[in-house]
Amino acid sequence: MELLKKTVLDLEDRRKDNSDKKELFAKDRHPKTANFYKDQWAFIHDTTVRENIAYQMQYLEFMINLYNDYQIYLTVESLLCKDIICTVGGIIEAVLFDLIQNAKEKAGLKLDRTDFTALLGLAYHEYKLIDEEMWHFCHELRKVRNFVHLKAADFREHQAYSAEETNDCLTKLEQFREHLA
């Protein structure tokens, strides 16, 4: 297996890293800026969490463009869909953590670092941040994220994840953002 080949042309400007390689997408297909996504997720209180969500949104956009612009091989297609689904789950988890932590702080309480399942319970039952449909969706999303542990999957990954399932996750992510914004 080949290793990654990183080229750095300018240590002062990391945007020029790998700029001597073939360009993958035309300029009009590059992901939106992190600032675009930071503005979309402006209701996130923790600046670092908001920035990390923006970077994950850029990554989602990159993966979507990759899928839409190139013929992706069967197994790689399924795993790309899995990566998109897992990224959506990570974003939702980060958002819920931020919103619940902020609400608890306002009430003079502390939120200990908690898992996705506990966050979903708090978000649905206590803080009403999500409805029952979203609560069920997120539980299924959490299960898919657990399949990052390959031993947990009892199926063949080359056919496990579909574009339709992935599109549903992307649609739900946008509905979730719009609901909270």
mmCIF file with all atom_site columns, all heavy atoms in Angstrom, residues 83-105:
data_model
loop_
_atom_site.group_PDB
_atom_site.id
_atom_site.type_symbol
_atom_site.label_atom_id
_atom_site.label_alt_id
_atom_site.label_comp_id
_atom_site.label_asym_id
_atom_site.label_entity_id
_atom_site.label_seq_id
_atom_site.pdbx_PDB_ins_code
_atom_site.Cartn_x
_atom_site.Cartn_y
_atom_site.Cartn_z
_atom_site.occupancy
_atom_site.B_iso_or_equiv
_atom_site.pdbx_formal_charge
_atom_site.auth_seq_id
_atom_site.auth_comp_id
_atom_site.auth_asym_id
_atom_site.auth_atom_id
_atom_site.pdbx_PDB_model_num
ATOM 1   N N   . ASP A 1 83  ? -18.914 7.278  5.570  1.00 0.00 ? 83  ASP A N   1
ATOM 2   C CA  . ASP A 1 83  ? -18.159 8.405  6.115  1.00 0.00 ? 83  ASP A CA  1
ATOM 3   C C   . ASP A 1 83  ? -19.033 9.657  6.209  1.00 0.00 ? 83  ASP A C   1
ATOM 4   O O   . ASP A 1 83  ? -18.984 10.402 7.190  1.00 0.00 ? 83  ASP A O   1
ATOM 5   C CB  . ASP A 1 83  ? -16.919 8.667  5.259  1.00 0.00 ? 83  ASP A CB  1
ATOM 6   C CG  . ASP A 1 83  ? -15.827 9.413  6.003  1.00 0.00 ? 83  ASP A CG  1
ATOM 7   O OD1 . ASP A 1 83  ? -15.839 9.424  7.249  1.00 0.00 ? 83  ASP A OD1 1
ATOM 8   O OD2 . ASP A 1 83  ? -14.952 9.987  5.336  1.00 0.00 ? 83  ASP A OD2 1
ATOM 9   N N   . ILE A 1 84  ? -19.857 9.892  5.196  1.00 0.00 ? 84  ILE A N   1
ATOM 10  C CA  . ILE A 1 84  ? -20.776 11.036 5.226  1.00 0.00 ? 84  ILE A CA  1
ATOM 11  C C   . ILE A 1 84  ? -21.770 10.878 6.374  1.00 0.00 ? 84  ILE A C   1
ATOM 12  O O   . ILE A 1 84  ? -22.000 11.818 7.147  1.00 0.00 ? 84  ILE A O   1
ATOM 13  C CB  . ILE A 1 84  ? -21.503 11.185 3.868  1.00 0.00 ? 84  ILE A CB  1
ATOM 14  C CG1 . ILE A 1 84  ? -20.503 11.615 2.783  1.00 0.00 ? 84  ILE A CG1 1
ATOM 15  C CG2 . ILE A 1 84  ? -22.663 12.184 3.971  1.00 0.00 ? 84  ILE A CG2 1
ATOM 16  C CD1 . ILE A 1 84  ? -21.053 11.544 1.364  1.00 0.00 ? 84  ILE A CD1 1
ATOM 17  N N   . ILE A 1 85  ? -22.346 9.704  6.513  1.00 0.00 ? 85  ILE A N   1
ATOM 18  C CA  . ILE A 1 85  ? -23.320 9.450  7.582  1.00 0.00 ? 85  ILE A CA  1
ATOM 19  C C   . ILE A 1 85  ? -22.680 9.646  8.953  1.00 0.00 ? 85  ILE A C   1
ATOM 20  O O   . ILE A 1 85  ? -23.259 10.279 9.840  1.00 0.00 ? 85  ILE A O   1
ATOM 21  C CB  . ILE A 1 85  ? -23.919 8.034  7.432  1.00 0.00 ? 85  ILE A CB  1
ATOM 22  C CG1 . ILE A 1 85  ? -24.788 7.955  6.175  1.00 0.00 ? 85  ILE A CG1 1
ATOM 23  C CG2 . ILE A 1 85  ? -24.724 7.642  8.667  1.00 0.00 ? 85  ILE A CG2 1
ATOM 24  C CD1 . ILE A 1 85  ? -25.154 6.537  5.760  1.00 0.00 ? 85  ILE A CD1 1
ATOM 25  N N   . CYS A 1 86  ? -21.472 9.113  9.135  1.00 0.00 ? 86  CYS A N   1
ATOM 26  C CA  . CYS A 1 86  ? -20.776 9.263  10.420 1.00 0.00 ? 86  CYS A CA  1
ATOM 27  C C   . CYS A 1 86  ? -20.443 10.727 10.707 1.00 0.00 ? 86  CYS A C   1
ATOM 28  O O   . CYS A 1 86  ? -20.536 11.176 11.856 1.00 0.00 ? 86  CYS A O   1
ATOM 29  C CB  . CYS A 1 86  ? -19.510 8.412  10.438 1.00 0.00 ? 86  CYS A CB  1
ATOM 30  S SG  . CYS A 1 86  ? -19.833 6.639  10.524 1.00 0.00 ? 86  CYS A SG  1
ATOM 31  N N   . THR A 1 87  ? -20.088 11.464 9.685  1.00 0.00 ? 87  THR A N   1
ATOM 32  C CA  . THR A 1 87  ? -19.796 12.890 9.857  1.00 0.00 ? 87  THR A CA  1
ATOM 33  C C   . THR A 1 87  ? -21.051 13.645 10.272 1.00 0.00 ? 87  THR A C   1
ATOM 34  O O   . THR A 1 87  ? -21.003 14.499 11.165 1.00 0.00 ? 87  THR A O   1
ATOM 35  C CB  . THR A 1 87  ? -19.187 13.472 8.563  1.00 0.00 ? 87  THR A CB  1
ATOM 36  O OG1 . THR A 1 87  ? -17.988 12.746 8.258  1.00 0.00 ? 87  THR A OG1 1
ATOM 37  C CG2 . THR A 1 87  ? -18.866 14.950 8.712  1.00 0.00 ? 87  THR A CG2 1
ATOM 38  N N   . VAL A 1 88  ? -22.181 13.335 9.653  1.00 0.00 ? 88  VAL A N   1
ATOM 39  C CA  . VAL A 1 88  ? -23.460 13.942 10.056 1.00 0.00 ? 88  VAL A CA  1
ATOM 40  C C   . VAL A 1 88  ? -23.730 13.651 11.530 1.00 0.00 ? 88  VAL A C   1
ATOM 41  O O   . VAL A 1 88  ? -24.103 14.540 12.292 1.00 0.00 ? 88  VAL A O   1
ATOM 42  C CB  . VAL A 1 88  ? -24.614 13.444 9.162  1.00 0.00 ? 88  VAL A CB  1
ATOM 43  C CG1 . VAL A 1 88  ? -25.970 13.817 9.746  1.00 0.00 ? 88  VAL A CG1 1
ATOM 44  C CG2 . VAL A 1 88  ? -24.470 13.999 7.748  1.00 0.00 ? 88  VAL A CG2 1
ATOM 45  N N   . GLY A 1 89  ? -23.525 12.412 11.940 1.00 0.00 ? 89  GLY A N   1
ATOM 46  C CA  . GLY A 1 89  ? -23.726 12.050 13.340 1.00 0.00 ? 89  GLY A CA  1
ATOM 47  C C   . GLY A 1 89  ? -22.831 12.831 14.275 1.00 0.00 ? 89  GLY A C   1
ATOM 48  O O   . GLY A 1 89  ? -23.267 13.298 15.334 1.00 0.00 ? 89  GLY A O   1
ATOM 49  N N   . GLY A 1 90  ? -21.580 13.013 13.898 1.00 0.00 ? 90  GLY A N   1
ATOM 50  C CA  . GLY A 1 90  ? -20.650 13.780 14.718 1.00 0.00 ? 90  GLY A CA  1
ATOM 51  C C   . GLY A 1 90  ? -21.063 15.238 14.856 1.00 0.00 ? 90  GLY A C   1
ATOM 52  O O   . GLY A 1 90  ? -20.940 15.838 15.925 1.00 0.00 ? 90  GLY A O   1
ATOM 53  N N   . ILE A 1 91  ? -21.565 15.802 13.772 1.00 0.00 ? 91  ILE A N   1
ATOM 54  C CA  . ILE A 1 91  ? -22.025 17.197 13.807 1.00 0.00 ? 91  ILE A CA  1
ATOM 55  C C   . ILE A 1 91  ? -23.224 17.324 14.737 1.00 0.00 ? 91  ILE A C   1
ATOM 56  O O   . ILE A 1 91  ? -23.265 18.227 15.593 1.00 0.00 ? 91  ILE A O   1
ATOM 57  C CB  . ILE A 1 91  ? -22.357 17.690 12.379 1.00 0.00 ? 91  ILE A CB  1
ATOM 58  C CG1 . ILE A 1 91  ? -21.080 17.813 11.546 1.00 0.00 ? 91  ILE A CG1 1
ATOM 59  C CG2 . ILE A 1 91  ? -23.115 19.027 12.430 1.00 0.00 ? 91  ILE A CG2 1
ATOM 60  C CD1 . ILE A 1 91  ? -21.321 18.008 10.061 1.00 0.00 ? 91  ILE A CD1 1
ATOM 61  N N   . ILE A 1 92  ? -24.197 16.442 14.589 1.00 0.00 ? 92  ILE A N   1
ATOM 62  C CA  . ILE A 1 92  ? -25.392 16.508 15.438 1.00 0.00 ? 92  ILE A CA  1
ATOM 63  C C   . ILE A 1 92  ? -25.012 16.337 16.902 1.00 0.00 ? 92  ILE A C   1
ATOM 64  O O   . ILE A 1 92  ? -25.499 17.070 17.773 1.00 0.00 ? 92  ILE A O   1
ATOM 65  C CB  . ILE A 1 92  ? -26.438 15.476 14.985 1.00 0.00 ? 92  ILE A CB  1
ATOM 66  C CG1 . ILE A 1 92  ? -27.016 15.895 13.631 1.00 0.00 ? 92  ILE A CG1 1
ATOM 67  C CG2 . ILE A 1 92  ? -27.542 15.312 16.027 1.00 0.00 ? 92  ILE A CG2 1
ATOM 68  C CD1 . ILE A 1 92  ? -27.934 14.874 12.989 1.00 0.00 ? 92  ILE A CD1 1
ATOM 69  N N   . GLU A 1 93  ? -24.129 15.404 17.193 1.00 0.00 ? 93  GLU A N   1
ATOM 70  C CA  . GLU A 1 93  ? -23.700 15.199 18.569 1.00 0.00 ? 93  GLU A CA  1
ATOM 71  C C   . GLU A 1 93  ? -23.034 16.456 19.134 1.00 0.00 ? 93  GLU A C   1
ATOM 72  O O   . GLU A 1 93  ? -23.312 16.871 20.261 1.00 0.00 ? 93  GLU A O   1
ATOM 73  C CB  . GLU A 1 93  ? -22.741 14.015 18.652 1.00 0.00 ? 93  GLU A CB  1
ATOM 74  C CG  . GLU A 1 93  ? -22.292 13.706 20.066 1.00 0.00 ? 93  GLU A CG  1
ATOM 75  C CD  . GLU A 1 93  ? -21.400 12.485 20.151 1.00 0.00 ? 93  GLU A CD  1
ATOM 76  O OE1 . GLU A 1 93  ? -20.891 12.007 19.111 1.00 0.00 ? 93  GLU A OE1 1
ATOM 77  O OE2 . GLU A 1 93  ? -21.194 11.999 21.284 1.00 0.00 ? 93  GLU A OE2 1
ATOM 78  N N   . ALA A 1 94  ? -22.158 17.092 18.353 1.00 0.00 ? 94  ALA A N   1
ATOM 79  C CA  . ALA A 1 94  ? -21.475 18.305 18.805 1.00 0.00 ? 94  ALA A CA  1
ATOM 80  C C   . ALA A 1 94  ? -22.468 19.440 19.060 1.00 0.00 ? 94  ALA A C   1
ATOM 81  O O   . ALA A 1 94  ? -22.354 20.174 20.051 1.00 0.00 ? 94  ALA A O   1
ATOM 82  C CB  . ALA A 1 94  ? -20.434 18.741 17.777 1.00 0.00 ? 94  ALA A CB  1
ATOM 83  N N   . VAL A 1 95  ? -23.450 19.581 18.180 1.00 0.00 ? 95  VAL A N   1
ATOM 84  C CA  . VAL A 1 95  ? -24.463 20.636 18.339 1.00 0.00 ? 95  VAL A CA  1
ATOM 85  C C   . VAL A 1 95  ? -25.267 20.412 19.614 1.00 0.00 ? 95  VAL A C   1
ATOM 86  O O   . VAL A 1 95  ? -25.459 21.336 20.417 1.00 0.00 ? 95  VAL A O   1
ATOM 87  C CB  . VAL A 1 95  ? -25.402 20.688 17.108 1.00 0.00 ? 95  VAL A CB  1
ATOM 88  C CG1 . VAL A 1 95  ? -26.608 21.576 17.369 1.00 0.00 ? 95  VAL A CG1 1
ATOM 89  C CG2 . VAL A 1 95  ? -24.636 21.160 15.876 1.00 0.00 ? 95  VAL A CG2 1
ATOM 90  N N   . LEU A 1 96  ? -25.732 19.189 19.810 1.00 0.00 ? 96  LEU A N   1
ATOM 91  C CA  . LEU A 1 96  ? -26.521 18.899 21.008 1.00 0.00 ? 96  LEU A CA  1
ATOM 92  C C   . LEU A 1 96  ? -25.708 19.107 22.268 1.00 0.00 ? 96  LEU A C   1
ATOM 93  O O   . LEU A 1 96  ? -26.206 19.666 23.255 1.00 0.00 ? 96  LEU A O   1
ATOM 94  C CB  . LEU A 1 96  ? -27.082 17.476 20.949 1.00 0.00 ? 96  LEU A CB  1
ATOM 95  C CG  . LEU A 1 96  ? -28.126 17.220 19.862 1.00 0.00 ? 96  LEU A CG  1
ATOM 96  C CD1 . LEU A 1 96  ? -28.553 15.766 19.864 1.00 0.00 ? 96  LEU A CD1 1
ATOM 97  C CD2 . LEU A 1 96  ? -29.321 18.153 20.012 1.00 0.00 ? 96  LEU A CD2 1
ATOM 98  N N   . PHE A 1 97  ? -24.457 18.693 22.245 1.00 0.00 ? 97  PHE A N   1
ATOM 99  C CA  . PHE A 1 97  ? -23.603 18.895 23.411 1.00 0.00 ? 97  PHE A CA  1
ATOM 100 C C   . PHE A 1 97  ? -23.477 20.385 23.722 1.00 0.00 ? 97  PHE A C   1
ATOM 101 O O   . PHE A 1 97  ? -23.642 20.808 24.866 1.00 0.00 ? 97  PHE A O   1
ATOM 102 C CB  . PHE A 1 97  ? -22.220 18.269 23.209 1.00 0.00 ? 97  PHE A CB  1
ATOM 103 C CG  . PHE A 1 97  ? -21.338 18.416 24.421 1.00 0.00 ? 97  PHE A CG  1
ATOM 104 C CD1 . PHE A 1 97  ? -21.446 17.517 25.473 1.00 0.00 ? 97  PHE A CD1 1
ATOM 105 C CD2 . PHE A 1 97  ? -20.426 19.456 24.519 1.00 0.00 ? 97  PHE A CD2 1
ATOM 106 C CE1 . PHE A 1 97  ? -20.653 17.654 26.611 1.00 0.00 ? 97  PHE A CE1 1
ATOM 107 C CE2 . PHE A 1 97  ? -19.640 19.609 25.644 1.00 0.00 ? 97  PHE A CE2 1
ATOM 108 C CZ  . PHE A 1 97  ? -19.748 18.702 26.693 1.00 0.00 ? 97  PHE A CZ  1
ATOM 109 N N   . ASP A 1 98  ? -23.216 21.191 22.709 1.00 0.00 ? 98  ASP A N   1
ATOM 110 C CA  . ASP A 1 98  ? -23.058 22.633 22.917 1.00 0.00 ? 98  ASP A CA  1
ATOM 111 C C   . ASP A 1 98  ? -24.328 23.258 23.467 1.00 0.00 ? 98  ASP A C   1
ATOM 112 O O   . ASP A 1 98  ? -24.280 24.030 24.438 1.00 0.00 ? 98  ASP A O   1
ATOM 113 C CB  . ASP A 1 98  ? -22.666 23.319 21.603 1.00 0.00 ? 98  ASP A CB  1
ATOM 114 C CG  . ASP A 1 98  ? -22.578 24.822 21.760 1.00 0.00 ? 98  ASP A CG  1
ATOM 115 O OD1 . ASP A 1 98  ? -21.551 25.311 22.281 1.00 0.00 ? 98  ASP A OD1 1
ATOM 116 O OD2 . ASP A 1 98  ? -23.549 25.515 21.389 1.00 0.00 ? 98  ASP A OD2 1
ATOM 117 N N   . LEU A 1 99  ? -25.467 22.954 22.866 1.00 0.00 ? 99  LEU A N   1
ATOM 118 C CA  . LEU A 1 99  ? -26.720 23.584 23.284 1.00 0.00 ? 99  LEU A CA  1
ATOM 119 C C   . LEU A 1 99  ? -27.125 23.157 24.701 1.00 0.00 ? 99  LEU A C   1
ATOM 120 O O   . LEU A 1 99  ? -27.582 23.987 25.500 1.00 0.00 ? 99  LEU A O   1
ATOM 121 C CB  . LEU A 1 99  ? -27.829 23.268 22.287 1.00 0.00 ? 99  LEU A CB  1
ATOM 122 C CG  . LEU A 1 99  ? -27.624 23.846 20.881 1.00 0.00 ? 99  LEU A CG  1
ATOM 123 C CD1 . LEU A 1 99  ? -28.735 23.406 19.953 1.00 0.00 ? 99  LEU A CD1 1
ATOM 124 C CD2 . LEU A 1 99  ? -27.496 25.357 20.913 1.00 0.00 ? 99  LEU A CD2 1
ATOM 125 N N   . ILE A 1 100 ? -26.946 21.882 25.008 1.00 0.00 ? 100 ILE A N   1
ATOM 126 C CA  . ILE A 1 100 ? -27.306 21.402 26.345 1.00 0.00 ? 100 ILE A CA  1
ATOM 127 C C   . ILE A 1 100 ? -26.324 21.939 27.386 1.00 0.00 ? 100 ILE A C   1
ATOM 128 O O   . ILE A 1 100 ? -26.732 22.370 28.468 1.00 0.00 ? 100 ILE A O   1
ATOM 129 C CB  . ILE A 1 100 ? -27.385 19.859 26.362 1.00 0.00 ? 100 ILE A CB  1
ATOM 130 C CG1 . ILE A 1 100 ? -28.567 19.414 25.500 1.00 0.00 ? 100 ILE A CG1 1
ATOM 131 C CG2 . ILE A 1 100 ? -27.502 19.332 27.790 1.00 0.00 ? 100 ILE A CG2 1
ATOM 132 C CD1 . ILE A 1 100 ? -28.602 17.923 25.210 1.00 0.00 ? 100 ILE A CD1 1
ATOM 133 N N   . GLN A 1 101 ? -25.052 21.945 27.057 1.00 0.00 ? 101 GLN A N   1
ATOM 134 C CA  . GLN A 1 101 ? -24.057 22.493 27.978 1.00 0.00 ? 101 GLN A CA  1
ATOM 135 C C   . GLN A 1 101 ? -24.355 23.970 28.277 1.00 0.00 ? 101 GLN A C   1
ATOM 136 O O   . GLN A 1 101 ? -24.303 24.400 29.418 1.00 0.00 ? 101 GLN A O   1
ATOM 137 C CB  . GLN A 1 101 ? -22.653 22.349 27.395 1.00 0.00 ? 101 GLN A CB  1
ATOM 138 C CG  . GLN A 1 101 ? -21.561 22.885 28.319 1.00 0.00 ? 101 GLN A CG  1
ATOM 139 C CD  . GLN A 1 101 ? -20.174 22.676 27.737 1.00 0.00 ? 101 GLN A CD  1
ATOM 140 O OE1 . GLN A 1 101 ? -19.987 22.663 26.527 1.00 0.00 ? 101 GLN A OE1 1
ATOM 141 N NE2 . GLN A 1 101 ? -19.206 22.508 28.608 1.00 0.00 ? 101 GLN A NE2 1
ATOM 142 N N   . ASN A 1 102 ? -24.681 24.727 27.248 1.00 0.00 ? 102 ASN A N   1
ATOM 143 C CA  . ASN A 1 102 ? -24.991 26.141 27.425 1.00 0.00 ? 102 ASN A CA  1
ATOM 144 C C   . ASN A 1 102 ? -26.234 26.323 28.298 1.00 0.00 ? 102 ASN A C   1
ATOM 145 O O   . ASN A 1 102 ? -26.260 27.183 29.187 1.00 0.00 ? 102 ASN A O   1
ATOM 146 C CB  . ASN A 1 102 ? -25.177 26.824 26.074 1.00 0.00 ? 102 ASN A CB  1
ATOM 147 C CG  . ASN A 1 102 ? -25.312 28.319 26.207 1.00 0.00 ? 102 ASN A CG  1
ATOM 148 O OD1 . ASN A 1 102 ? -24.421 28.987 26.713 1.00 0.00 ? 102 ASN A OD1 1
ATOM 149 N ND2 . ASN A 1 102 ? -26.437 28.844 25.769 1.00 0.00 ? 102 ASN A ND2 1
ATOM 150 N N   . ALA A 1 103 ? -27.269 25.528 28.052 1.00 0.00 ? 103 ALA A N   1
ATOM 151 C CA  . ALA A 1 103 ? -28.496 25.619 28.853 1.00 0.00 ? 103 ALA A CA  1
ATOM 152 C C   . ALA A 1 103 ? -28.216 25.276 30.316 1.00 0.00 ? 103 ALA A C   1
ATOM 153 O O   . ALA A 1 103 ? -28.721 25.941 31.222 1.00 0.00 ? 103 ALA A O   1
ATOM 154 C CB  . ALA A 1 103 ? -29.567 24.691 28.275 1.00 0.00 ? 103 ALA A CB  1
ATOM 155 N N   . LYS A 1 104 ? -27.428 24.251 30.539 1.00 0.00 ? 104 LYS A N   1
ATOM 156 C CA  . LYS A 1 104 ? -27.099 23.861 31.918 1.00 0.00 ? 104 LYS A CA  1
ATOM 157 C C   . LYS A 1 104 ? -26.278 24.952 32.608 1.00 0.00 ? 104 LYS A C   1
ATOM 158 O O   . LYS A 1 104 ? -26.509 25.252 33.776 1.00 0.00 ? 104 LYS A O   1
ATOM 159 C CB  . LYS A 1 104 ? -26.363 22.523 31.942 1.00 0.00 ? 104 LYS A CB  1
ATOM 160 C CG  . LYS A 1 104 ? -27.292 21.336 31.732 1.00 0.00 ? 104 LYS A CG  1
ATOM 161 C CD  . LYS A 1 104 ? -26.613 20.054 32.165 1.00 0.00 ? 104 LYS A CD  1
ATOM 162 C CE  . LYS A 1 104 ? -27.565 18.899 32.139 1.00 0.00 ? 104 LYS A CE  1
ATOM 163 N NZ  . LYS A 1 104 ? -28.420 18.797 33.300 1.00 0.00 ? 104 LYS A NZ  1
ATOM 164 N N   . GLU A 1 105 ? -25.328 25.533 31.900 1.00 0.00 ? 105 GLU A N   1
ATOM 165 C CA  . GLU A 1 105 ? -24.514 26.610 32.478 1.00 0.00 ? 105 GLU A CA  1
ATOM 166 C C   . GLU A 1 105 ? -25.383 27.800 32.872 1.00 0.00 ? 105 GLU A C   1
ATOM 167 O O   . GLU A 1 105 ? -25.182 28.399 33.928 1.00 0.00 ? 105 GLU A O   1
ATOM 168 C CB  . GLU A 1 105 ? -23.420 27.043 31.504 1.00 0.00 ? 105 GLU A CB  1
ATOM 169 C CG  . GLU A 1 105 ? -22.268 26.074 31.416 1.00 0.00 ? 105 GLU A CG  1
ATOM 170 C CD  . GLU A 1 105 ? -21.234 26.452 30.368 1.00 0.00 ? 105 GLU A CD  1
ATOM 171 O OE1 . GLU A 1 105 ? -21.381 27.510 29.695 1.00 0.00 ? 105 GLU A OE1 1
ATOM 172 O OE2 . GLU A 1 105 ? -20.263 25.678 30.207 1.00 0.00 ? 105 GLU A OE2 1
#
